Amino acid sequence: MRRARGLRPPHPGALVALALAALAAAAFGALIGAAQDRPSVLALDAYLRRILVFSLGQATLSTLLSLALGAALALALARRRFPGRSLALAALGAAAVMPAIVVVFSVVAVYGRSGWLAAGLQAAGLPLRPNPFGWPGILIAHVFLNATLAARVYLDALSRAPAEHWRLAAILGFGPRATFAHLDWPILKRETPGLAGLVFLLCFTSFAIVLTLGGGPGKATLEVAIFSALRVELDFARAAMLAGLQLAVCLSLTLVLHWAVTRAPVAPTERLPIARPDAGDRRLRRLDAAVLLLGGALVLPLLAATLEGAAALPRVLDGDLARAATTSLAIALVSAVLACAMAIALAGAAQAARERRRGRLAAAYDVLPALVLAIPPFALTAGLFLLLRGRVGATEAGFLLLPLVNAIGALPFAYRFLAPALATSAERHGRLAALLGLTGLRRLAIVDWPVLRRPLAGAAAFAAAISFGDFGIVALFGGAELRTLPYLLYERLGAYRLDEAAAIGLLLVAAAFALSAFATRMARC
């Protein structure tokens, strides 16, 4: 009897971790098995070295620019309360999850040779022709997406500072320098390593932006090279080698950053708005105004570029659009449910490990959501498709794999919403739940749900927004029988029906804006 009582069933989080590892191993195994023993393609040739150098260079520069602008925007928004601030936060959230294919369209519309900037320069009598292809377009698109994400993460962290810290700062008469040194900087420093790793991974594995704005084969990431090896060359050995190289680089960076700053998720505190002691400084007012104007100059034109499609909306409201929208919505809903379920399971496993004083195991669960970004989505999808080939058709495989791969891609963001909420619940009610013998689903329903409900809604909305606008994986399976809204936009662009593409982009941005506003409200950011 004692042994029977001592045996515990595996935690759902452990099952999720094992399932993710098994999926990745099976996918890579299938790719290697399909390579048919072709070791000659594994050489690190000059083209591959050039791709690797470019991937590292653009990801590093994009990360530095994104973090710098994101931190400045977060501090300005934390210090200022102004009419329309909630709309500004929703705009930041919408920009962070804006579909990459729409970002590409907007960058060309604003900074292209016939774009808004070129028209303005020509009106001013300046014979300059901006070119968004290559480094400029890639950096603009990446900073647009990731600076807004960084701003939201930093602002969320700043908003969790205990109210007592601000009261003490006011009593001690802190000025702007002391406030930044003792209150803001420790928070920014704590968040920066993990956020830097996340942004670097997003830029390093970028696909749609680099594929369309790269301007040539020399400007490609490993993700683009994997796609080319799978879709164009049908070279599974090269795809497996490229995927292994990307996995090694991303895993190394993620593990180094994680173990350097390992800590438990920070539980958010309930606090009333308190005036910051540095809010009245005139120099900071001017600085914040300049930062907000710079952020607006980056974000608003790219968001507004999709408004050009408003006139073409009646022409795209047809059966193709309805079917694509239904497909996108269904995939997004399934992806959001899967991502949130995996995030809750992993966060619960990490918290259970902490309660049993098993810090290393808890840290392993905490780092796993970040590690999934290191897995090349194309390699994962292609490997799983090879396993399914012969059992289901390509379209059916697409419908099965798209929600799964999108859910895995959204897992790090859902985990960020939910892990602090579970930490808060454990801190407030964990001992009482243990005394009452509440475990498993009973504890989740009775103890954790009141704290988890709002962050769960925010995580689901954010994960759905990411999946709704994803263009990467559908590029492998998209066709007449499987169309999502981003794929439909891509088809319109390929047919040079730019006004219709702008109309579809407008619908995608509107959906991202609505989901982001809902996620922001639910998360109380």
Side-chain angles (χ1 to χ4, degrees):
M1 290 296 294
R2 289 183 179 178
R3 286 187 179 180
R5 289 181 180 177
L7 292 175
R8 296 181 178 179
H11 195 282
L15 298 178
V16 169
L18 289 174
L20 291 173
L23 285 173
F28 275 83
L31 280 179
I32 295 173
Q36 300 178 350
D37 300 327
R38 294 171 57 191
S40 60
V41 299
L42 301 183
L44 194 64
D45 54 28
Y47 174 68
L48 183 54
R49 288 195 298 270
R50 189 163 60 250
I51 288 178
L52 183 58
V53 170
F54 173 76
S55 298
L56 291 170
Q58 65 84 17
T60 300
L61 188 54
S62 297
T63 300
L64 293 175
L65 293 174
S66 298
L67 293 183
L69 180 57
L73 281 172
L75 288 171
L77 289 168
R79 284 191 286 253
R80 305 300 159 200
R81 296 292 185 271
F82 51 88
R85 183 176 181 272
S86 59
L87 289 178
L89 294 179
L92 285 179
V97 296
M98 190 168 166
I101 191 68
V102 181
V103 175
V104 169
F105 176 84
S106 297
V107 168
V108 174
V110 175
Y111 301 101
R113 293 183 179 274
S114 301
W116 298 0
L117 180 59
L121 292 174
Q122 185 177 3
L126 299 175
L128 298 177
R129 304 277 292 181
N131 181 12
F133 296 99
W135 279 93
I138 292 172
L139 291 178
I140 290 172
H142 281 167
V143 172
F144 170 80
L145 287 170
N146 296 306
T148 50
L149 173 64
R152 292 308 313 276
V153 172
Y154 281 135
L155 184 60
D156 181 39
L158 291 170
S159 68
R160 292 199 300 262
E164 292 75 12
H165 291 185
W166 296 106
R167 294 194 186 100
L168 183 60
I171 292 172
L172 296 176
F174 276 8
R177 290 185 180 180
T179 300
F180 178 79
H182 297 291
L183 295 176
D184 293 329
W185 174 242
I187 296 174
L188 298 178
K189 183 173 66 173
R190 183 186 66 209
E191 296 293 329
T192 293
L195 184 58
L198 175 63
V199 173
F200 183 89
L201 290 177
L202 292 174
C203 296
F204 187 81
T205 59
S206 180
F207 169 69
I209 290 173
V210 177
L211 178 68
T212 50
L213 294 178
K219 302 293 188 300
T221 59
L222 288 173
E223 197 72 28
V224 174
I226 293 171
F227 172 78
S228 177
L230 291 172
R231 187 67 183 263
V232 180
E233 303 169 10
L234 292 178
D235 191 337
F236 295 107
R238 188 169 183 83
M241 183 272 292
L242 292 169
L245 180 61
Q246 178 171 312
L247 190 65
V249 174
C250 295
L251 282 179
S252 301
L253 175 70
T254 304
L255 290 174
V256 167
L257 287 175
H258 180 80
W259 293 116
V261 294
T262 297
R263 64 183 187 283
V266 179
T269 58
E270 299 290 337
R271 52 167 292 198
L272 296 174
I274 295 177
R276 292 173 53 110
D278 58 349
D281 187 82
R282 293 182 178 179
R283 290 173 297 178
L284 282 184
R285 285 182 181 176
R286 291 192 291 268
L287 176 62
D288 291 343
V291 169
L292 292 173
L293 287 175
L294 177 61
L298 173 68
V299 174
L300 294 180
L302 297 182
L303 288 176
T306 58
L307 295 177
E308 293 184 348
L313 278 175
R315 295 206 301 274
V316 301
L317 297 178
D318 53 16
D320 286 343
L321 181 73
R323 286 188 291 272
T326 302
T327 301
S328 292
L329 182 60
I331 291 173
L333 290 177
V334 175
S335 298
V337 171
L338 288 175
C340 291
M342 290 189 293
I344 291 175
L346 291 173
Q351 189 59 43
R354 289 189 196 92
E355 292 174 357
R356 298 197 303 269
R357 300 289 191 271
R358 302 180 67 180
R360 292 185 178 179
L361 181 60
Y365 283 122
D366 283 333
V367 75
L368 184 59
L371 291 180
V372 300
L373 285 178
I375 302 174
F378 285 121
L380 177 64
T381 307
L384 295 178
F385 173 68
L386 289 175
L387 295 175
L388 294 174
R389 188 173 57 178
R391 300 177 177 87
V392 297
T395 301
E396 291 78 9
F399 278 111
L400 290 173
L401 295 178
L402 275 173
L404 175 61
V405 177
N406 285 344
I408 293 174
L411 175 58
F413 305 97
Y415 190 83
R416 185 170 189 88
F417 275 86
L418 298 172
L422 282 178
T424 298
S425 178
E427 182 180 346
R428 295 176 181 172
H429 311 298
R431 293 182 181 178
L432 179 60
L435 290 174
L436 295 176
L438 296 175
T439 58
L441 292 177
R442 291 182 63 199
R443 172 170 173 170
L444 180 63
I446 298 173
V447 178
D448 297 329
W449 178 249
V451 179
L452 196 63
R453 181 175 53 194
R454 291 178 65 89
L456 179 60
F462 203 84
I466 293 174
S467 178
F468 192 81
D470 180 72
F471 174 69
I473 303 306
V474 75
L476 288 174
F477 298 102
E481 298 181 8
L482 176 55
R483 282 178 177 166
T484 62
L485 281 181
Y487 191 83
L488 193 63
L489 186 153
Y490 178 75
E491 285 185 333
R492 295 294 193 271
L493 285 175
Y496 295 98
R497 295 157 68 176
L498 301 183
D499 52 348
E500 296 182 11
I504 298 172
L506 177 60
L507 295 176
L508 285 167
V509 171
F513 189 89
L515 290 169
S516 172
F518 180 76
T520 298
R521 184 173 182 180
M522 289 296 101
R524 295 180 181 178
C525 295

